[in-house]
Each structure stands twice: as C-alpha cells, then as structure tokens.
Amino acid sequence: MTPEPGAGRVLVVDDGEMNRRVLGAALAREGHETEQATNGREALELLAHRSFDVILLDLVMPEMDGFETLTAIKADDALRHLPVIVISGIDEMDAAVRCIQMGATDYLPKPFNAALLRARVNASLAGKRLRDLELEYLEQVEHVIEAAGALEAGSFEPESLETVAAREDALGLLARTFARMASEVRAREERLRAEVAELRIEIDEARQARRVEEITSSDYFRDLRDRASDLRRIVTSDD
C-alpha cells in the first residue's frame, strides 16, 4: 500500500498477538506502515536498524517490559525524541501516568477505540514532524555559520549552501544573499590579485630597466665598451 499524505512508520510493541493484529489493521486503514515486536528487546533491535515515527508500547511483556524499554529509548540520544504512546488497561492507569512522567508522549487505553487511536497517533506524528523540521532548521543554520567561518578562512565553496539556499523562507534568503556576497567578495579578491600581479610585473620591469641604466652608465661599463671597440678595430685591421 502506498502511504497516504501524513502517514508514518509505526512500531507496535505488544506480546499479545490479537492486540498486534487489531492495532496493525487499524493503522493500515489510516495509511500507516507498521512493524511489530513481541517485547522490548525485539523493539530495540528494530530501532537500531530502522527508522520509525511513532512507537506503540505495551507495558506488560516478557523478557523486557514497557518500563525497561521506555527507559532504554529515553537514554539513547538517537531515539529519545521519538514519540512513545503507552498501551495500558484501566487497571494500569497509574503505570501509564508513571510512563508519561518518564517521557512517554501519550497513552492509549485498552480496549482500543479506532477514533482515539487515530487521534493519538496523528498528534504524535505532528509533534514528531515539527521536531524534525526544527532539527533540520538548526542543522541548516549551522551550515550557514560554518560557511561564514569558511569564508573568513578563505575556503568557502558556494555549493555548501545549495540545500539551504533552496529554502523559501528567511533562512533560504539569508543563504542566497550570503552566497552572492561571498561570490562578489571572491571576484573582487581575484581582481585585486590580478592587479597586484600586474603591478609586480611593472615594478620588476622598471627595476630591471634602472639596473640596466645604472650598469650601462657606469665608468666600468664604458671602459669595457671602449676596450671592446678597440678590440674590434684591431681584429678588423688584421683582417
């Protein structure tokens, strides 16, 4: 199935096969892609190799329960901002509140209600995407800062800002303006270097002309020239 606009990748972690089926079917009807794990250990293995947008996490599971799994997720810098919706029964409400305090985004009561499931997942997806946009924005701001440092060091490459410059917001305008100004600065520097090189050539030529003049106007040079003339006359007369 082709994901619907706004759909996400959801990891369902529950040891109950029926619960996984019900959740998977409900999520698929909303256009979401799902994968399933029967306990926290399996979930962490999947999270280590694949990316997800939301986790539905049961609390009572063998091997590694929801509390241990949530603790591991929140301790991992690469996963800690991933939305986790705790699945809890009415008699587990205190445990669900504890999970919220530990960093879970929301909870989903059992038995499942399709409308509530949709609302919980969509809200978590919206929060995740907003967070992703914020991280992307901060990363691209860092690119502009690095470009400024590269310009000062003389190693700036306009291609380094192409992604940021493609944005249609104020940051994109800043990147385009920065790249244009950096190109103008580089062009001026190149013209200045060319002018300095030409000036050095002119200076060297003038210096050489002065040295030639100094040599040819010296008594020593005139004496050599006179001797050469005398030598040519001698040779000519002998011939």
Side-chain angles (χ1 to χ4, degrees):
M1 176 183 296
T2 301
E4 298 292 335
R9 290 176 54 81
V10 183
L11 176 60
V12 179
V13 188
D14 195 314
D15 65 322
E17 182 179 355
M18 183 58 65
N19 289 339
R20 294 197 305 273
R21 287 184 178 181
V22 171
L23 286 169
L27 291 166
R29 285 194 295 271
E30 297 297 324
H32 302 300
E33 296 181 10
T34 64
E35 292 202 38
Q36 300 179 0
T38 60
N39 57 61
R41 197 173 308 282
E42 288 184 11
L44 292 177
E45 290 176 358
L46 286 171
L47 289 167
H49 300 95
R50 304 176 192 175
S51 61
F52 294 92
D53 299 309
V54 179
I55 301 173
L56 297 182
L57 179 65
D58 191 18
L59 292 182
V60 181
M61 296 180 295
E63 292 192 44
M64 190 173 189
D65 64 20
F67 295 107
E68 296 173 297
T69 306
L70 181 60
T71 298
I73 290 172
K74 295 305 174 182
D76 190 327
D77 289 339
L79 302 175
R80 63 189 310 170
H81 298 296
L82 195 60
V84 178
I85 301 176
V86 172
I87 302 173
S88 66
I90 298 299
D91 57 344
E92 300 168 346
M93 193 56 61
D94 290 343
V97 171
R98 176 185 165 194
C99 286
I100 297 295
Q101 294 171 338
M102 292 170 61
T105 305
D106 210 332
Y107 76 96
L108 182 68
K110 299 177 183 179
F112 308 118
N113 176 280
L116 189 57
L117 171 64
R118 180 171 58 252
R120 294 283 197 267
V121 171
N122 287 344
S124 295
L125 280 172
K128 167 71 162 45
R129 285 168 183 146
L130 178 60
R131 173 72 182 177
D132 289 345
L133 288 173
E134 290 175 348
L135 291 176
E136 179 187 4
Y137 187 88
L138 292 174
E139 181 181 354
Q140 294 189 348
V141 167
E142 185 64 26
H143 287 332
V144 176
I145 294 174
E146 290 174 355
L151 180 62
E152 186 175 3
S155 59
F156 172 71
E157 295 295 338
E159 295 78 10
S160 64
L161 286 181
E162 284 183 352
T163 301
V164 188
R167 297 177 65 101
E168 296 298 331
D169 57 6
L171 182 60
L173 176 60
L174 174 62
R176 291 190 295 274
T177 303
F178 181 93
R180 184 180 66 252
M181 294 178 64
S183 297
E184 292 173 354
V185 168
R186 174 174 291 182
R188 285 197 297 268
E189 289 178 346
E190 291 176 352
R191 287 196 300 270
L192 181 60
R193 280 194 289 267
E195 291 173 359
V196 169
E198 291 178 1
L199 182 59
R200 285 177 177 171
I201 293 173
E202 293 176 359
I203 291 174
D204 289 343
E205 290 177 348
R207 184 177 297 143
Q208 290 175 2
R210 284 198 303 272
R211 288 181 60 84
V212 170
E213 183 180 358
E214 290 173 356
I215 293 172
T216 56
S217 61
S218 65
D219 293 339
Y220 177 75
F221 183 83
R222 283 197 294 268
D223 182 57
L224 286 177
R225 186 174 53 191
D226 292 342
R227 291 185 181 184
S229 297
D230 293 341
L231 182 59
R232 281 196 295 272
R233 283 198 298 272
I234 293 172
V235 171
T236 301
S237 62
D238 288 345
D239 291 342

